[in-house]
Amino acid sequence: SVDLFAAGVTLFIMVAQHLPFTKATLEDPHFKAISTNKSGLFWKVHSKNKAGGLDFFSESFRDLITSLLSFDPTHRPSLAEIKAHEWYNGPVPTYEEIKEEFDKRKKALDEENMRDSDPIPESEVNPNIFTNHTVHRGVGGDLEEDSKLPSLKRQCAEYVPEFKRYSQFFSTSQLDDLFNTLAVFAEKVTTEFEFADDEYSAKLNVLEEDTKIALTVNILKVEDQDKYCVEVVKNSGDRFIFNGIYNKLKAFFGGHANSTEES
């Protein structure tokens, strides 16, 4: 039943292109609506900005998702019931139609990642911010310990296309400008940060919604091209909250996010 619940979340994301809720707890208003027999409110909210309104989601799709996301596991359909469901047996797109749709979505994602029209953020930092020791921020926001001068031995690791992830963007800006912008972000947004002394990389801890998210940001050189990949990796914490932090970091970099992998 847990797998069926997860399948319902995944299916909703594939169709709606966003999450059905942030957390599967009654504190989340969207989850509370669908788990307390107020599915009409759930669908009304999620269809508000969709083309065609409520008709964006077919009636059979709404019925299947509502049952898959039932709060009581015993109310979720069995595999046999899913396979017999009207939506499951509905029309299926051709390979060409699927490819066309995914190409369109990728183009939209690339355009979203491109922020070349945004202003370039200020990236002047005190060189003492770079350290191979973790820096802790006190209650008042001040740094609690001194840090060392940046290492002169940093090497830029190579971007490996086979390991690409959705939480990355590309830039033709100078390497030092990107690294300094990361340092400003770490100083302003994170609760703890630690810079590697041998690569252009940093480990960050961010406190969001009373939840600690640990992540690593790597700046990687794209082979045979005059650009870099800024890669953000979740080390621990809630995936949904991490997505929000990634978007915040990308927005912070502003006009530095000015390229794509192909261009």
Side-chain angles (χ1 to χ4, degrees):
S1 61
V2 174
D3 290 341
L4 292 177
F5 181 89
V9 172
T10 302
L11 180 57
F12 181 92
I13 294 172
M14 292 174 66
V15 174
Q17 298 187 43
H18 58 75
L19 297 166
F21 38 74
T22 302
K23 289 184 178 180
T25 66
L26 293 179
E27 285 73 30
D28 186 293
H30 296 95
F31 181 76
K32 182 177 180 179
I34 201 169
S35 62
T36 55
N37 297 320
K38 296 179 181 178
S39 59
L41 176 61
F42 173 87
W43 291 109
K44 180 180 180 181
V45 171
H46 280 305
S47 61
K48 185 176 181 180
N49 297 316
K50 298 294 186 186
L54 187 60
D55 290 336
F56 178 87
F57 303 104
S58 69
E59 185 176 350
S60 62
F61 177 80
R62 298 197 304 268
D63 179 76
L64 178 60
I65 293 296
T66 300
S67 63
L68 286 170
L69 300 183
S70 293
F71 184 76
D72 187 342
T74 63
H75 293 168
R76 296 170 196 162
S78 65
L79 287 176
E81 290 172 326
I82 293 174
K83 294 176 71 174
H85 195 276
E86 178 185 354
W87 186 87
Y88 186 92
N89 291 284
V92 178
T94 64
Y95 170 82
E96 289 74 19
E97 290 172 330
I98 293 175
K99 186 177 185 305
E100 180 182 357
E101 176 64 21
F102 273 76
D103 287 344
K104 184 170 65 176
R105 293 189 186 190
K106 183 179 185 304
K107 181 180 179 182
L109 183 61
D110 286 343
E111 290 175 351
E112 180 183 339
N113 277 330
M114 284 277 285
R115 309 183 68 98
D116 52 332
S117 60
D118 288 3
I120 298 291
E122 292 186 15
S123 57
E124 289 189 13
V125 295
N126 185 326
N128 290 333
I129 194 175
F130 299 102
T131 174
N132 60 359
H133 295 292
T134 301
V135 178
H136 297 273
R137 189 183 307 285
V139 176
D142 297 327
L143 300 181
E144 295 180 335
E145 61 179 58
D146 294 332
S147 48
K148 302 193 312 181
L149 291 173
S151 167
L152 301 178
K153 299 180 181 179
R154 282 197 180 91
Q155 299 294 322
C156 192
E158 184 177 312
Y159 169 66
V160 181
E162 289 77 10
F163 295 154
K164 70 174 65 175
R165 59 186 69 240
Y166 79 90
S167 52
Q168 64 181 36
F169 58 89
F170 294 85
S171 177
T172 57
S173 298
Q174 295 298 311
L175 177 59
D176 286 343
D177 290 338
L178 294 174
F179 202 49
N180 286 347
T181 299
L182 175 59
V184 175
F185 178 85
E187 188 173 30
K188 289 186 175 182
V189 178
T190 71
T191 53
E192 300 175 70
F193 56 86
E194 178 184 358
F195 287 91
D197 58 3
D198 56 346
E199 293 184 343
Y200 289 85
S201 176
K203 294 181 179 179
L204 313 177
N205 289 329
V206 181
L207 189 64
E208 287 276 345
E209 302 178 22
D210 296 325
T211 302
K212 182 178 178 181
I213 309 297
L215 56 137
T216 298
V217 182
N218 302 309
I219 301 178
L220 310 170
K221 180 68 174 67
V222 179
E223 186 178 12
D224 298 328
Q225 297 188 50
D226 190 22
K227 65 182 175 186
Y228 300 90
C229 172
V230 179
E231 171 192 71
V232 187
V233 183
K234 182 180 77 71
N235 298 328
S236 65
D238 185 274
R239 167 61 64 180
F240 297 152
I241 298 177
F242 166 78
N243 293 343
I245 295 172
Y246 164 70
N247 289 328
K248 181 187 294 186
L249 182 144
K250 184 175 64 175
F252 190 91
F253 271 72
H256 284 310
N258 58 10
S259 187
T260 64
E261 183 174 7
E262 290 79 13
S263 63

